[in-house]
């Protein structure tokens, strides 16, 4: 009897650990997001960054279609990190501030998949002639 209770509690404890999706991705574990990167982009980011990630002068946004996923991922990661952390080492104060609001609205995303989404759909290869 005692043993089965112990087994049950252990199982329950494990379920709790697995069940509550940690937002901290430092361990590289899978985090589940409410929206896909495509949804987040087409419902939110495009408003300031343009529907082709080309950047918008009136919103003072830089283009994001000029980099490939690997590089973009780092910038997305920076911006995301600054939105959740207090620290601000880069010049992305504005975006970090936006990000905080966007998180509250559920527009959270995985930097890697967002970078891949942007590259796949919007990247313009500067070496390719039109
Ligand atoms: C309310 C307008 C607004 C929205 C919405 C917005 N951004 Fe931004 N973003 C900005 C502005 C302004 C900058 C430039 C200033 C800065 O970097 O802080 C910027 C900068 C960035 C940068 C840095 C660009 C670079 O060249 O490194 C990234 C990455 C970025 N945004 C990603 C996103 C993503 C992803 C979303 C959607 C989740 C998003 N932004 C939604 C206004 C916005």
């Amino acid at each position: 009897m005692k043993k089965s209770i112990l087994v049950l509690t252990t199982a329950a404890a494990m379920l709790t650990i697995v069940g509550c999706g940690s937002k901290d991705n430092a361990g590289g574990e899978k985090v589940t997001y409410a929206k896909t990167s495509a949804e987040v982009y087409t419902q939110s980011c495009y408003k300031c960054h343009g529907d082709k990630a080309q950047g918008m002068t009136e919103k003072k946004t830089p283009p994001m279609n000029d980099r490939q996923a690997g590089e973009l991922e780092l910038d997305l990661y920076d911006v995301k990190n600054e939105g959740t952390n207090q620290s601000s080492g880069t010049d992305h104060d504005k975006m970090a501030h936006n990000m905080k609001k966007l998180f509250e609205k559920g527009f959270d995303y995985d930097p890697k998949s967002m970078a891949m989404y942007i590259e796949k759909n919007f990247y313009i290869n500067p070496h390719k002639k039109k």
Side-chain angles (χ1 to χ4, degrees):
M1 183 60 192
K2 265 230 176 87
K3 198 173 177 193
S4 68
I5 286 174
L6 184 69
V7 170
L8 270 178
T9 1
T10 316
M14 280 170 76
L15 267 181
T16 324
I17 294 165
V18 176
C20 84
S22 162
K23 285 275 177 203
D24 185 355
N25 203 17
E29 75 265 37
K30 259 247 179 291
V31 184
T32 38
Y33 295 93
K35 296 174 193 291
T36 64
S37 294
E39 284 168 345
V40 171
Y41 195 88
T42 55
Q43 289 169 24
S44 169
C45 319
Y46 85 94
K47 287 183 200 158
C48 296
H49 288 274
D51 53 7
K52 295 198 164 46
Q54 74 276 34
M56 292 164 80
T57 326
E58 66 271 34
K59 296 279 185 188
K60 299 192 170 65
T61 48
M64 291 199 283
N65 62 358
D66 60 348
R67 271 156 288 172
Q68 282 175 289
E71 203 181 329
L72 203 51
E73 183 186 341
L74 297 178
D75 292 320
L76 288 162
Y77 189 81
D78 271 353
V79 160
K80 222 187 117 155
N81 240 7
E82 282 182 34
T84 42
N85 293 348
Q86 48 319 91
S87 81
S88 176
T90 68
D91 54 352
H92 295 317
D93 285 0
K94 262 216 189 73
M95 187 58 225
H97 177 78
N98 291 337
M99 214 46 238
K100 209 178 240 162
K101 294 235 171 78
L102 293 175
F103 286 150
E104 284 161 15
K105 292 188 194 156
F107 292 121
D108 196 1
Y109 59 86
D110 174 41
K112 194 184 189 106
S113 87
M114 180 60 88
M116 273 156 45
Y117 169 80
I118 293 174
E119 182 192 300
K120 185 163 172 265
N121 293 281
F122 311 125
Y123 178 63
I124 294 169
N125 187 339
H127 306 296
K128 205 162 108 184
K129 293 237 160 64
K130 280 200 186 132

